[in-house]
Structures are given as C-alpha cells and as structure tokens.
Amino acid sequence: MAADLLMALASGTAGAAGQSLWERLRALVQRSPDRHPDAVEGDSEPEVAALVGALDEDASDEDRAARLAEGLALRARQDPAFAEALALWRREAERVSGASAGGTQHQEISGGTQHNVVFTRDVHGSINLG
C-alpha cells in the first residue's frame, strides 16, 4: 500500500469518492481479525484503526502514512479475508485517486498561447501563486 495514496484519501484531495473510500477503510480495519492458522503466536499487529485515526489528524504526515501502510500489510499477511478485502479496496482507491502502479501522469498543452497554466500532482500543503 502506497503511503501517498493513503495521504491523498485522508486529506480529501480525491473528492467525495475518496472520502467514501476513506470511510470504507475505517470500517474495514474495525472488523475483527480472522488470523491465518500459520500466524506466529505473539506477532504484534499495530492497532491499525488507531493509525487510521492518526492519519486523520494530520493527513500530510508521511511517517504516519508509512506506519499505516505497514500496519495494513502486516494485518493482510495475518488475515486472509482482510487481505482480500484490502486488495479490492486498494484497486478502487487507485482508480478513484488517479494513482497508477508507477505513479506517473501525462499532461500536455498544445496550440495557441497559454497563460497561467499549472500542473501538479500529490501536493501535501499550501500552494501560493502570484
């Protein structure tokens, strides 16, 4: 799970669909774990729901997003049902947020004279033009 995808959804930059996806992630992590039978007893799973809440508090915090991504990956390894649901969620989140596996974007302007054109992606903070 890419931390930048989590940050985009938590910050609301993906619009109403992104907000809905963020709420679905919150509901997903609150489900009771169904641990894999081969999971090693004593594996400590970070409190993923708390990590979602922490990213809610500061969606621009890359460290929080990275910890959430790690927590989601750990839980997915331990809970096959969660892994399947998370994979479905991620595919939809990437589609909604415009993210691709490579994180690339193509922008083009052609013809005529353009003034004040700005292209951007993955902005986490203020932009001042003027």
Side-chain angles (χ1 to χ4, degrees):
M1 180 73 54
D4 60 341
L5 174 62
L6 294 169
M7 290 168 47
L9 294 171
S11 69
T13 60
Q19 186 88 22
S20 174
L21 278 163
W22 188 248
E23 292 303 320
R24 284 182 36 214
L25 179 63
R26 184 186 317 280
L28 178 63
V29 300
Q30 301 213 356
R31 291 188 343 196
S32 295
D34 181 19
R35 292 178 67 89
H36 190 279
D38 296 332
V40 176
E41 234 9 82
D43 280 352
S44 61
E45 173 185 327
E47 182 54 53
V48 179
L51 294 169
V52 170
L55 195 56
D56 268 338
E57 291 174 14
D58 184 358
S60 66
D61 188 327
E62 293 179 22
D63 185 52
R64 289 179 188 194
R67 286 195 319 265
L68 175 55
E70 290 169 9
L72 291 169
L74 176 59
R75 181 159 173 196
R77 286 191 300 273
Q78 296 175 343
D79 181 346
F82 179 81
E84 185 177 327
L86 184 64
L88 291 171
W89 179 89
R90 180 182 180 177
R91 282 193 294 275
E92 188 172 349
E94 287 176 341
R95 183 184 56 76
V96 165
S97 72
S100 66
T104 62
Q105 223 181 35
H106 174 81
Q107 300 164 333
E108 181 178 322
I109 297 176
S110 62
T113 302
Q114 287 76 32
H115 298 283
N116 302 327
V117 175
V118 177
F119 288 118
T120 185
R121 179 182 166 162
D122 298 334
V123 175
H124 305 285
S126 299
I127 295 178
N128 297 307
L129 305 173

